[in-house]
PDB file of all heavy atoms in Angstrom:
ATOM      1  N   ASP Y   1       0.865  -1.161  -0.032  1.00  0.00           N
ATOM      2  CA  ASP Y   1      -0.005   0.003   0.015  1.00  0.00           C
ATOM      3  C   ASP Y   1       0.885   1.210  -0.005  1.00  0.00           C
ATOM      4  O   ASP Y   1       0.436   2.315  -0.574  1.00  0.00           O
ATOM      5  CB  ASP Y   1      -0.951  -0.024   1.259  1.00  0.00           C
ATOM      6  CG  ASP Y   1      -2.056  -0.979   1.093  1.00  0.00           C
ATOM      7  OD1 ASP Y   1      -2.358  -1.495  -0.040  1.00  0.00           O
ATOM      8  OD2 ASP Y   1      -2.667  -1.327   2.203  1.00  0.00           O
ATOM      9  N   SER Y   2       2.013   1.218   0.630  1.00  0.00           N
ATOM     10  CA  SER Y   2       2.827   2.389   0.781  1.00  0.00           C
ATOM     11  C   SER Y   2       3.499   2.825  -0.480  1.00  0.00           C
ATOM     12  O   SER Y   2       3.976   3.938  -0.547  1.00  0.00           O
ATOM     13  CB  SER Y   2       3.955   2.123   1.810  1.00  0.00           C
ATOM     14  OG  SER Y   2       4.752   1.053   1.438  1.00  0.00           O
ATOM     15  N   VAL Y   3       3.457   2.011  -1.519  1.00  0.00           N
ATOM     16  CA  VAL Y   3       4.122   2.343  -2.817  1.00  0.00           C
ATOM     17  C   VAL Y   3       3.146   2.381  -3.960  1.00  0.00           C
ATOM     18  O   VAL Y   3       3.541   2.811  -5.054  1.00  0.00           O
ATOM     19  CB  VAL Y   3       5.276   1.385  -3.158  1.00  0.00           C
ATOM     20  CG1 VAL Y   3       6.278   1.307  -2.003  1.00  0.00           C
ATOM     21  CG2 VAL Y   3       4.802   0.016  -3.577  1.00  0.00           C
ATOM     22  N   LYS Y   4       1.923   2.051  -3.756  1.00  0.00           N
ATOM     23  CA  LYS Y   4       0.890   2.061  -4.809  1.00  0.00           C
ATOM     24  C   LYS Y   4       0.817   3.493  -5.421  1.00  0.00           C
ATOM     25  O   LYS Y   4       0.747   4.457  -4.669  1.00  0.00           O
ATOM     26  CB  LYS Y   4      -0.416   1.626  -4.331  1.00  0.00           C
ATOM     27  CG  LYS Y   4      -0.523   0.134  -4.159  1.00  0.00           C
ATOM     28  CD  LYS Y   4      -1.965  -0.264  -3.589  1.00  0.00           C
ATOM     29  CE  LYS Y   4      -2.028  -1.808  -3.398  1.00  0.00           C
ATOM     30  NZ  LYS Y   4      -3.355  -2.224  -2.866  1.00  0.00           N
ATOM     31  N   GLY Y   5       0.804   3.527  -6.720  1.00  0.00           N
ATOM     32  CA  GLY Y   5       0.706   4.834  -7.407  1.00  0.00           C
ATOM     33  C   GLY Y   5       2.071   5.490  -7.659  1.00  0.00           C
ATOM     34  O   GLY Y   5       2.127   6.465  -8.364  1.00  0.00           O
ATOM     35  N   ARG Y   6       3.092   4.964  -6.948  1.00  0.00           N
ATOM     36  CA  ARG Y   6       4.434   5.574  -7.115  1.00  0.00           C
ATOM     37  C   ARG Y   6       5.455   4.595  -7.744  1.00  0.00           C
ATOM     38  O   ARG Y   6       6.299   5.032  -8.511  1.00  0.00           O
ATOM     39  CB  ARG Y   6       5.000   6.036  -5.745  1.00  0.00           C
ATOM     40  CG  ARG Y   6       4.126   7.044  -5.025  1.00  0.00           C
ATOM     41  CD  ARG Y   6       4.770   7.600  -3.757  1.00  0.00           C
ATOM     42  NE  ARG Y   6       5.017   6.520  -2.798  1.00  0.00           N
ATOM     43  CZ  ARG Y   6       6.236   6.228  -2.285  1.00  0.00           C
ATOM     44  NH1 ARG Y   6       7.288   6.869  -2.734  1.00  0.00           N
ATOM     45  NH2 ARG Y   6       6.368   5.243  -1.390  1.00  0.00           N
ATOM     46  N   PHE Y   7       5.311   3.316  -7.478  1.00  0.00           N
ATOM     47  CA  PHE Y   7       6.238   2.297  -7.960  1.00  0.00           C
ATOM     48  C   PHE Y   7       5.563   1.477  -8.999  1.00  0.00           C
ATOM     49  O   PHE Y   7       4.352   1.178  -8.919  1.00  0.00           O
ATOM     50  CB  PHE Y   7       6.730   1.428  -6.851  1.00  0.00           C
ATOM     51  CG  PHE Y   7       7.650   2.067  -5.848  1.00  0.00           C
ATOM     52  CD1 PHE Y   7       7.806   3.449  -5.800  1.00  0.00           C
ATOM     53  CD2 PHE Y   7       8.302   1.278  -4.956  1.00  0.00           C
ATOM     54  CE1 PHE Y   7       8.675   4.044  -4.839  1.00  0.00           C
ATOM     55  CE2 PHE Y   7       9.166   1.880  -3.979  1.00  0.00           C
ATOM     56  CZ  PHE Y   7       9.314   3.233  -3.932  1.00  0.00           C
ATOM     57  N   THR Y   8       6.292   1.022  -9.989  1.00  0.00           N
ATOM     58  CA  THR Y   8       5.790   0.102 -11.017  1.00  0.00           C
ATOM     59  C   THR Y   8       6.782  -1.011 -11.260  1.00  0.00           C
ATOM     60  O   THR Y   8       7.950  -0.727 -11.495  1.00  0.00           O
ATOM     61  CB  THR Y   8       5.580   0.850 -12.358  1.00  0.00           C
ATOM     62  OG1 THR Y   8       4.635   1.939 -12.129  1.00  0.00           O
ATOM     63  CG2 THR Y   8       4.978  -0.072 -13.346  1.00  0.00           C
ATOM     64  N   ILE Y   9       6.301  -2.241 -11.138  1.00  0.00           N
ATOM     65  CA  ILE Y   9       7.163  -3.408 -11.436  1.00  0.00           C
ATOM     66  C   ILE Y   9       6.821  -3.936 -12.825  1.00  0.00           C
ATOM     67  O   ILE Y   9       5.713  -3.870 -13.278  1.00  0.00           O
ATOM     68  CB  ILE Y   9       6.886  -4.501 -10.361  1.00  0.00           C
ATOM     69  CG1 ILE Y   9       7.921  -5.651 -10.515  1.00  0.00           C
ATOM     70  CG2 ILE Y   9       5.532  -5.059 -10.426  1.00  0.00           C
ATOM     71  CD1 ILE Y   9       7.921  -6.701  -9.422  1.00  0.00           C
ATOM     72  N   SER Y  10       7.858  -4.391 -13.520  1.00  0.00           N
ATOM     73  CA  SER Y  10       7.713  -4.876 -14.893  1.00  0.00           C
ATOM     74  C   SER Y  10       8.736  -5.960 -15.083  1.00  0.00           C
ATOM     75  O   SER Y  10       9.715  -6.079 -14.336  1.00  0.00           O
ATOM     76  CB  SER Y  10       7.804  -3.800 -15.937  1.00  0.00           C
ATOM     77  OG  SER Y  10       9.075  -3.132 -15.894  1.00  0.00           O
ATOM     78  N   ARG Y  11       8.559  -6.784 -16.158  1.00  0.00           N
ATOM     79  CA  ARG Y  11       9.527  -7.779 -16.447  1.00  0.00           C
ATOM     80  C   ARG Y  11       9.692  -7.912 -17.932  1.00  0.00           C
ATOM     81  O   ARG Y  11       8.744  -7.675 -18.699  1.00  0.00           O
ATOM     82  CB  ARG Y  11       9.136  -9.125 -15.829  1.00  0.00           C
ATOM     83  CG  ARG Y  11       7.802  -9.670 -16.303  1.00  0.00           C
ATOM     84  CD  ARG Y  11       7.348 -10.873 -15.480  1.00  0.00           C
ATOM     85  NE  ARG Y  11       8.231 -12.038 -15.644  1.00  0.00           N
ATOM     86  CZ  ARG Y  11       8.076 -13.131 -14.927  1.00  0.00           C
ATOM     87  NH1 ARG Y  11       7.167 -13.256 -13.978  1.00  0.00           N
ATOM     88  NH2 ARG Y  11       8.882 -14.175 -15.142  1.00  0.00           N
ATOM     89  N   ASN Y  12      10.899  -8.382 -18.374  1.00  0.00           N
ATOM     90  CA  ASN Y  12      11.203  -8.652 -19.718  1.00  0.00           C
ATOM     91  C   ASN Y  12      11.621 -10.136 -19.799  1.00  0.00           C
ATOM     92  O   ASN Y  12      12.731 -10.422 -19.341  1.00  0.00           O
ATOM     93  CB  ASN Y  12      12.292  -7.797 -20.310  1.00  0.00           C
ATOM     94  CG  ASN Y  12      12.573  -7.964 -21.725  1.00  0.00           C
ATOM     95  OD1 ASN Y  12      12.604  -9.091 -22.206  1.00  0.00           O
ATOM     96  ND2 ASN Y  12      12.783  -6.879 -22.447  1.00  0.00           N
ATOM     97  N   ASN Y  13      10.711 -10.986 -20.189  1.00  0.00           N
ATOM     98  CA  ASN Y  13      11.060 -12.444 -20.105  1.00  0.00           C
ATOM     99  C   ASN Y  13      12.086 -12.832 -21.132  1.00  0.00           C
ATOM    100  O   ASN Y  13      12.832 -13.791 -20.919  1.00  0.00           O
ATOM    101  CB  ASN Y  13       9.786 -13.240 -20.356  1.00  0.00           C
ATOM    102  CG  ASN Y  13       8.748 -13.095 -19.233  1.00  0.00           C
ATOM    103  OD1 ASN Y  13       9.184 -12.918 -18.102  1.00  0.00           O
ATOM    104  ND2 ASN Y  13       7.471 -13.182 -19.520  1.00  0.00           N
ATOM    105  N   VAL Y  14      12.259 -12.124 -22.196  1.00  0.00           N
ATOM    106  CA  VAL Y  14      13.282 -12.426 -23.189  1.00  0.00           C
ATOM    107  C   VAL Y  14      14.645 -12.166 -22.607  1.00  0.00           C
ATOM    108  O   VAL Y  14      15.568 -12.913 -22.821  1.00  0.00           O
ATOM    109  CB  VAL Y  14      13.066 -11.607 -24.478  1.00  0.00           C
ATOM    110  CG1 VAL Y  14      14.180 -11.858 -25.426  1.00  0.00           C
ATOM    111  CG2 VAL Y  14      11.697 -11.985 -25.080  1.00  0.00           C
ATOM    112  N   LYS Y  15      14.769 -11.053 -21.919  1.00  0.00           N
ATOM    113  CA  LYS Y  15      16.054 -10.637 -21.332  1.00  0.00           C
ATOM    114  C   LYS Y  15      16.270 -11.172 -19.911  1.00  0.00           C
ATOM    115  O   LYS Y  15      17.289 -10.963 -19.314  1.00  0.00           O
ATOM    116  CB  LYS Y  15      16.192  -9.151 -21.320  1.00  0.00           C
ATOM    117  CG  LYS Y  15      16.225  -8.493 -22.691  1.00  0.00           C
ATOM    118  CD  LYS Y  15      16.479  -7.006 -22.597  1.00  0.00           C
ATOM    119  CE  LYS Y  15      16.556  -6.379 -24.035  1.00  0.00           C
ATOM    120  NZ  LYS Y  15      16.775  -4.926 -23.914  1.00  0.00           N
ATOM    121  N   ASN Y  16      15.210 -11.827 -19.348  1.00  0.00           N
ATOM    122  CA  ASN Y  16      15.270 -12.322 -17.973  1.00  0.00           C
ATOM    123  C   ASN Y  16      15.580 -11.171 -17.009  1.00  0.00           C
ATOM    124  O   ASN Y  16      16.482 -11.316 -16.127  1.00  0.00           O
ATOM    125  CB  ASN Y  16      16.334 -13.479 -17.853  1.00  0.00           C
ATOM    126  CG  ASN Y  16      15.938 -14.701 -18.646  1.00  0.00           C
ATOM    127  OD1 ASN Y  16      14.773 -15.029 -18.609  1.00  0.00           O
ATOM    128  ND2 ASN Y  16      16.881 -15.285 -19.269  1.00  0.00           N
ATOM    129  N   MET Y  17      14.843 -10.124 -17.145  1.00  0.00           N
ATOM    130  CA  MET Y  17      15.027  -8.976 -16.326  1.00  0.00           C
ATOM    131  C   MET Y  17      13.726  -8.614 -15.649  1.00  0.00           C
ATOM    132  O   MET Y  17      12.627  -8.769 -16.121  1.00  0.00           O
ATOM    133  CB  MET Y  17      15.510  -7.738 -17.174  1.00  0.00           C
ATOM    134  CG  MET Y  17      16.807  -7.906 -17.850  1.00  0.00           C
ATOM    135  SD  MET Y  17      18.203  -7.820 -16.742  1.00  0.00           S
ATOM    136  CE  MET Y  17      18.097  -6.151 -16.128  1.00  0.00           C
ATOM    137  N   VAL Y  18      13.856  -8.056 -14.438  1.00  0.00           N
ATOM    138  CA  VAL Y  18      12.734  -7.497 -13.663  1.00  0.00           C
ATOM    139  C   VAL Y  18      13.144  -6.085 -13.247  1.00  0.00           C
ATOM    140  O   VAL Y  18      14.253  -5.860 -12.831  1.00  0.00           O
ATOM    141  CB  VAL Y  18      12.401  -8.323 -12.442  1.00  0.00           C
ATOM    142  CG1 VAL Y  18      11.231  -7.720 -11.645  1.00  0.00           C
ATOM    143  CG2 VAL Y  18      12.008  -9.712 -12.818  1.00  0.00           C
ATOM    144  N   TYR Y  19      12.189  -5.165 -13.334  1.00  0.00           N
ATOM    145  CA  TYR Y  19      12.474  -3.755 -13.081  1.00  0.00           C
ATOM    146  C   TYR Y  19      11.557  -3.187 -12.008  1.00  0.00           C
ATOM    147  O   TYR Y  19      10.441  -3.696 -11.842  1.00  0.00           O
ATOM    148  CB  TYR Y  19      12.318  -2.932 -14.337  1.00  0.00           C
ATOM    149  CG  TYR Y  19      13.107  -3.399 -15.532  1.00  0.00           C
ATOM    150  CD1 TYR Y  19      12.520  -4.230 -16.542  1.00  0.00           C
ATOM    151  CD2 TYR Y  19      14.460  -3.122 -15.658  1.00  0.00           C
ATOM    152  CE1 TYR Y  19      13.291  -4.683 -17.601  1.00  0.00           C
ATOM    153  CE2 TYR Y  19      15.259  -3.566 -16.752  1.00  0.00           C
ATOM    154  CZ  TYR Y  19      14.640  -4.330 -17.693  1.00  0.00           C
ATOM    155  OH  TYR Y  19      15.341  -4.786 -18.783  1.00  0.00           O
ATOM    156  N   LEU Y  20      11.989  -2.224 -11.322  1.00  0.00           N
ATOM    157  CA  LEU Y  20      11.176  -1.522 -10.354  1.00  0.00           C
ATOM    158  C   LEU Y  20      11.404  -0.007 -10.637  1.00  0.00           C
ATOM    159  O   LEU Y  20      12.478   0.537 -10.299  1.00  0.00           O
ATOM    160  CB  LEU Y  20      11.495  -1.859  -8.951  1.00  0.00           C
ATOM    161  CG  LEU Y  20      10.524  -1.250  -7.919  1.00  0.00           C
ATOM    162  CD1 LEU Y  20       9.184  -1.872  -7.973  1.00  0.00           C
ATOM    163  CD2 LEU Y  20      11.077  -1.425  -6.479  1.00  0.00           C
ATOM    164  N   GLN Y  21      10.401   0.570 -11.235  1.00  0.00           N
ATOM    165  CA  GLN Y  21      10.431   2.076 -11.462  1.00  0.00           C
ATOM    166  C   GLN Y  21       9.864   2.780 -10.239  1.00  0.00           C
ATOM    167  O   GLN Y  21       8.714   2.489  -9.835  1.00  0.00           O
ATOM    168  CB  GLN Y  21       9.650   2.452 -12.660  1.00  0.00           C
ATOM    169  CG  GLN Y  21       9.567   3.918 -12.950  1.00  0.00           C
ATOM    170  CD  GLN Y  21      10.941   4.484 -13.320  1.00  0.00           C
ATOM    171  OE1 GLN Y  21      11.697   3.931 -14.040  1.00  0.00           O
ATOM    172  NE2 GLN Y  21      11.268   5.675 -12.742  1.00  0.00           N
ATOM    173  N   MET Y  22      10.680   3.567  -9.574  1.00  0.00           N
ATOM    174  CA  MET Y  22      10.271   4.212  -8.372  1.00  0.00           C
ATOM    175  C   MET Y  22      10.195   5.743  -8.557  1.00  0.00           C
ATOM    176  O   MET Y  22      11.237   6.329  -8.905  1.00  0.00           O
ATOM    177  CB  MET Y  22      11.212   3.900  -7.236  1.00  0.00           C
ATOM    178  CG  MET Y  22      11.466   2.440  -7.043  1.00  0.00           C
ATOM    179  SD  MET Y  22      12.489   1.991  -5.622  1.00  0.00           S
ATOM    180  CE  MET Y  22      14.100   2.675  -6.130  1.00  0.00           C
ATOM    181  N   ASN Y  23       9.033   6.317  -8.482  1.00  0.00           N
ATOM    182  CA  ASN Y  23       8.836   7.759  -8.640  1.00  0.00           C
ATOM    183  C   ASN Y  23       8.370   8.363  -7.301  1.00  0.00           C
ATOM    184  O   ASN Y  23       7.890   7.688  -6.411  1.00  0.00           O
ATOM    185  CB  ASN Y  23       7.783   7.955  -9.709  1.00  0.00           C
ATOM    186  CG  ASN Y  23       8.182   7.426 -11.108  1.00  0.00           C
ATOM    187  OD1 ASN Y  23       9.400   7.452 -11.386  1.00  0.00           O
ATOM    188  ND2 ASN Y  23       7.208   7.028 -11.883  1.00  0.00           N
ATOM    189  N   ASP Y  24       8.510   9.685  -7.232  1.00  0.00           N
ATOM    190  CA  ASP Y  24       8.095  10.420  -6.090  1.00  0.00           C
ATOM    191  C   ASP Y  24       8.644   9.772  -4.808  1.00  0.00           C
ATOM    192  O   ASP Y  24       7.881   9.514  -3.823  1.00  0.00           O
ATOM    193  CB  ASP Y  24       6.546  10.502  -6.054  1.00  0.00           C
ATOM    194  CG  ASP Y  24       6.072  11.465  -4.948  1.00  0.00           C
ATOM    195  OD1 ASP Y  24       6.809  12.349  -4.539  1.00  0.00           O
ATOM    196  OD2 ASP Y  24       4.928  11.283  -4.511  1.00  0.00           O
ATOM    197  N   LEU Y  25       9.878   9.537  -4.789  1.00  0.00           N
ATOM    198  CA  LEU Y  25      10.492   8.828  -3.655  1.00  0.00           C
ATOM    199  C   LEU Y  25      10.456   9.680  -2.391  1.00  0.00           C
ATOM    200  O   LEU Y  25      10.527  10.922  -2.458  1.00  0.00           O
ATOM    201  CB  LEU Y  25      11.979   8.507  -3.989  1.00  0.00           C
ATOM    202  CG  LEU Y  25      12.081   7.301  -4.927  1.00  0.00           C
ATOM    203  CD1 LEU Y  25      13.440   7.265  -5.633  1.00  0.00           C
ATOM    204  CD2 LEU Y  25      11.843   5.998  -4.095  1.00  0.00           C
ATOM    205  N   LYS Y  26      10.296   8.969  -1.269  1.00  0.00           N
ATOM    206  CA  LYS Y  26      10.228   9.629   0.038  1.00  0.00           C
ATOM    207  C   LYS Y  26      11.300   9.060   0.922  1.00  0.00           C
ATOM    208  O   LYS Y  26      11.873   8.015   0.703  1.00  0.00           O
ATOM    209  CB  LYS Y  26       8.791   9.287   0.638  1.00  0.00           C
ATOM    210  CG  LYS Y  26       7.650   9.711  -0.184  1.00  0.00           C
ATOM    211  CD  LYS Y  26       6.345   9.253   0.361  1.00  0.00           C
ATOM    212  CE  LYS Y  26       5.140   9.690  -0.479  1.00  0.00           C
ATOM    213  NZ  LYS Y  26       3.870   9.295   0.126  1.00  0.00           N
ATOM    214  N   ALA Y  27      11.601   9.815   1.949  1.00  0.00           N
ATOM    215  CA  ALA Y  27      12.660   9.426   2.904  1.00  0.00           C
ATOM    216  C   ALA Y  27      12.388   8.046   3.442  1.00  0.00           C
ATOM    217  O   ALA Y  27      13.336   7.243   3.621  1.00  0.00           O
ATOM    218  CB  ALA Y  27      12.784  10.422   4.001  1.00  0.00           C
ATOM    219  N   GLU Y  28      11.107   7.721   3.650  1.00  0.00           N
ATOM    220  CA  GLU Y  28      10.793   6.376   4.211  1.00  0.00           C
ATOM    221  C   GLU Y  28      10.950   5.237   3.247  1.00  0.00           C
ATOM    222  O   GLU Y  28      10.823   4.067   3.630  1.00  0.00           O
ATOM    223  CB  GLU Y  28       9.371   6.347   4.772  1.00  0.00           C
ATOM    224  CG  GLU Y  28       8.338   6.881   3.794  1.00  0.00           C
ATOM    225  CD  GLU Y  28       7.997   8.378   4.004  1.00  0.00           C
ATOM    226  OE1 GLU Y  28       8.966   9.174   4.269  1.00  0.00           O
ATOM    227  OE2 GLU Y  28       6.826   8.688   3.899  1.00  0.00           O
ATOM    228  N   ASP Y  29      11.291   5.564   2.003  1.00  0.00           N
ATOM    229  CA  ASP Y  29      11.613   4.517   1.018  1.00  0.00           C
ATOM    230  C   ASP Y  29      13.105   4.012   1.142  1.00  0.00           C
ATOM    231  O   ASP Y  29      13.536   3.119   0.428  1.00  0.00           O
ATOM    232  CB  ASP Y  29      11.338   5.017  -0.424  1.00  0.00           C
ATOM    233  CG  ASP Y  29       9.941   5.267  -0.679  1.00  0.00           C
ATOM    234  OD1 ASP Y  29       9.090   4.419  -0.296  1.00  0.00           O
ATOM    235  OD2 ASP Y  29       9.647   6.306  -1.309  1.00  0.00           O
ATOM    236  N   THR Y  30      13.870   4.746   1.994  1.00  0.00           N
ATOM    237  CA  THR Y  30      15.238   4.403   2.197  1.00  0.00           C
ATOM    238  C   THR Y  30      15.380   2.994   2.716  1.00  0.00           C
ATOM    239  O   THR Y  30      14.782   2.662   3.822  1.00  0.00           O
ATOM    240  CB  THR Y  30      15.936   5.360   3.135  1.00  0.00           C
ATOM    241  OG1 THR Y  30      16.002   6.703   2.455  1.00  0.00           O
ATOM    242  CG2 THR Y  30      17.377   4.950   3.410  1.00  0.00           C
ATOM    243  N   ALA Y  31      16.109   2.165   2.061  1.00  0.00           N
ATOM    244  CA  ALA Y  31      16.197   0.747   2.438  1.00  0.00           C
ATOM    245  C   ALA Y  31      17.211   0.054   1.473  1.00  0.00           C
ATOM    246  O   ALA Y  31      17.548   0.582   0.410  1.00  0.00           O
ATOM    247  CB  ALA Y  31      14.862   0.052   2.411  1.00  0.00           C
ATOM    248  N   VAL Y  32      17.515  -1.188   1.823  1.00  0.00           N
ATOM    249  CA  VAL Y  32      18.191  -2.084   0.880  1.00  0.00           C
ATOM    250  C   VAL Y  32      17.062  -2.838   0.126  1.00  0.00           C
ATOM    251  O   VAL Y  32      16.242  -3.404   0.785  1.00  0.00           O
ATOM    252  CB  VAL Y  32      19.156  -3.084   1.573  1.00  0.00           C
ATOM    253  CG1 VAL Y  32      19.729  -4.023   0.550  1.00  0.00           C
ATOM    254  CG2 VAL Y  32      20.237  -2.347   2.331  1.00  0.00           C
ATOM    255  N   TYR Y  33      17.146  -2.792  -1.148  1.00  0.00           N
ATOM    256  CA  TYR Y  33      16.125  -3.403  -1.947  1.00  0.00           C
ATOM    257  C   TYR Y  33      16.644  -4.757  -2.536  1.00  0.00           C
ATOM    258  O   TYR Y  33      17.719  -4.779  -3.103  1.00  0.00           O
ATOM    259  CB  TYR Y  33      15.688  -2.484  -3.133  1.00  0.00           C
ATOM    260  CG  TYR Y  33      14.821  -1.427  -2.649  1.00  0.00           C
ATOM    261  CD1 TYR Y  33      15.241  -0.338  -1.866  1.00  0.00           C
ATOM    262  CD2 TYR Y  33      13.405  -1.377  -2.995  1.00  0.00           C
ATOM    263  CE1 TYR Y  33      14.422   0.643  -1.373  1.00  0.00           C
ATOM    264  CE2 TYR Y  33      12.587  -0.355  -2.518  1.00  0.00           C
ATOM    265  CZ  TYR Y  33      13.081   0.660  -1.741  1.00  0.00           C
ATOM    266  OH  TYR Y  33      12.264   1.645  -1.291  1.00  0.00           O
ATOM    267  N   TYR Y  34      15.838  -5.783  -2.325  1.00  0.00           N
ATOM    268  CA  TYR Y  34      16.263  -7.120  -2.691  1.00  0.00           C
ATOM    269  C   TYR Y  34      15.324  -7.631  -3.843  1.00  0.00           C
ATOM    270  O   TYR Y  34      14.055  -7.587  -3.678  1.00  0.00           O
ATOM    271  CB  TYR Y  34      16.212  -8.130  -1.568  1.00  0.00           C
ATOM    272  CG  TYR Y  34      17.174  -7.796  -0.453  1.00  0.00           C
ATOM    273  CD1 TYR Y  34      16.768  -6.924   0.619  1.00  0.00           C
ATOM    274  CD2 TYR Y  34      18.417  -8.302  -0.441  1.00  0.00           C
ATOM    275  CE1 TYR Y  34      17.619  -6.628   1.610  1.00  0.00           C
ATOM    276  CE2 TYR Y  34      19.331  -7.983   0.637  1.00  0.00           C
ATOM    277  CZ  TYR Y  34      18.852  -7.191   1.604  1.00  0.00           C
ATOM    278  OH  TYR Y  34      19.735  -6.932   2.639  1.00  0.00           O
TER     279      TYR Y  34
END
């Protein structure tokens, strides 16, 4: 809920990649992302 409307996850199955687009970042988003 805390990231809805700001973050978007997507994947490219051909390239075997997953992405996380993060917009309107806030201080509380500070973390290690796995």
Side-chain angles (χ1 to χ4, degrees):
D1 288 342
S2 60
V3 307
K4 283 181 180 177
R6 300 188 297 123
F7 291 11
T8 302
I9 188 171
S10 61
R11 62 190 291 174
N12 184 320
N13 292 331
V14 174
K15 296 183 178 180
N16 293 321
M17 297 288 295
V18 179
Y19 306 98
L20 185 68
Q21 178 66 43
M22 305 185 294
N23 298 327
D24 189 24
L25 283 160
K26 304 176 180 181
E28 51 264 41
D29 295 318
T30 294
V32 177
Y33 283 70
Y34 297 91

